[in-house]
């Protein structure tokens, strides 16, 4: 599907609100600039703790969260944030996409056990590839929500 197909299937015509959690300044800047150029409304954070504060200050929940699992040098802070986000009734339905340079089965298992929705390898994904996957994830998420709401 093309970008316009995804955009036309959204619940409204507002830009996709994306929270990026990335400790590396250059990578965070690169991601923010890429997604802002593609008409996303981007909010960024350097850590899960800062992301919690950011989420509490937003007037509308984001459509997606993209997080480097190793934001503070270990996966524990990222996994803890995943669990908190997915057990909070307010934020549990926000798609959480974890990406990391550590594309190892153990990390994937830990991320999914912590309730991450998707896992991407940032070494093998271009920015355009990540963006396409995020749009696909959001499209499926919205379609599923529409089906559930019809019940």
């Amino acid at each position: 599907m093309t970008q316009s197909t995804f955009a036309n299937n959204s619940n409204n015509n507002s830009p996709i609100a994306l929270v990026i959690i990335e400790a590396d300044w250059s990578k965070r800047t690169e991601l923010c600039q890429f997604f802002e150029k593609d008409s996303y409304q981007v909010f960024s954070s350097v850590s899960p703790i800062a992301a919690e504060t950011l989420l509490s200050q937003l007037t509308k929940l984001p459509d997606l969260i993209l997080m480097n699992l190793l934001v503070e040098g270990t996966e524990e802070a990222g996994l803890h944030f995943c669990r908190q986000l997915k057990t909070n009734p307010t934020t549990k339905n926000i798609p959480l996409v974890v990406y990391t340079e550590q594309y190892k089965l153990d990390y994937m298992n830990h991320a999914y056990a912590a309730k991450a929705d998707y896992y991407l390898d940032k070494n093998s994904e271009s920015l355009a590839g990540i963006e396409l996957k995020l749009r696909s994830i959001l499209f499926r998420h919205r379609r599923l929500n529409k089906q559930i709401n019809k019940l």
Side-chain angles (χ1 to χ4, degrees):
M1 293 190 149
T2 64
Q3 176 179 338
S4 59
T5 305
F6 285 117
N8 291 338
N9 283 305
S10 65
N11 292 334
N12 54 43
N13 290 329
S14 61
I16 296 170
L18 172 66
V19 170
I20 296 171
I21 306 170
E22 171 60 72
D24 180 275
W25 179 84
S26 62
K27 188 65 173 174
R28 188 174 63 253
T29 301
E30 178 185 27
L31 287 165
C32 289
Q33 289 175 348
F34 179 84
F35 285 104
E36 286 169 348
K37 184 174 59 175
D38 203 24
S39 301
Y40 281 74
Q41 183 179 14
V42 178
F43 304 94
S44 68
S45 174
V46 298
S47 71
I49 292 171
E52 287 178 44
T53 302
L54 172 66
L55 287 170
S56 71
Q57 294 172 347
L58 294 176
T59 57
K60 178 184 171 278
L61 291 174
D63 297 301
L64 291 159
I65 297 175
L66 177 65
M67 180 179 75
N68 183 348
L69 186 61
L70 302 174
V71 286
E72 294 178 355
T74 79
E75 69 176 319
E76 285 309 311
L79 293 172
H80 179 72
F81 179 75
C82 288
R83 286 188 288 273
Q84 280 187 311
L85 188 79
K86 291 303 186 172
T87 56
N88 180 329
T90 304
T91 58
K92 70 180 183 180
N93 292 321
I94 301 170
L96 174 61
V97 179
V98 169
Y99 78 109
T100 181
E101 293 173 349
Q102 302 295 326
Y103 199 68
K104 297 179 181 174
L105 192 55
D106 285 348
Y107 284 158
M108 290 176 71
N109 284 332
H110 293 160
Y112 286 127
K115 308 291 188 227
D117 294 298
Y118 301 92
Y119 191 99
L120 300 176
D121 175 12
K122 70 179 175 179
N123 287 330
S124 67
E125 296 288 344
S126 66
L127 288 176
I130 290 173
E131 196 268 341
L132 183 61
K133 287 182 179 180
L134 292 183
R135 284 194 183 270
S136 177
I137 289 164
L138 183 58
F139 175 75
R140 285 186 303 225
H141 180 76
R142 287 178 172 170
R143 184 176 59 198
L144 180 62
N145 281 340
K146 283 182 184 179
Q147 291 172 347
I148 289 170
N149 289 333
K150 287 181 183 179
L151 299 177

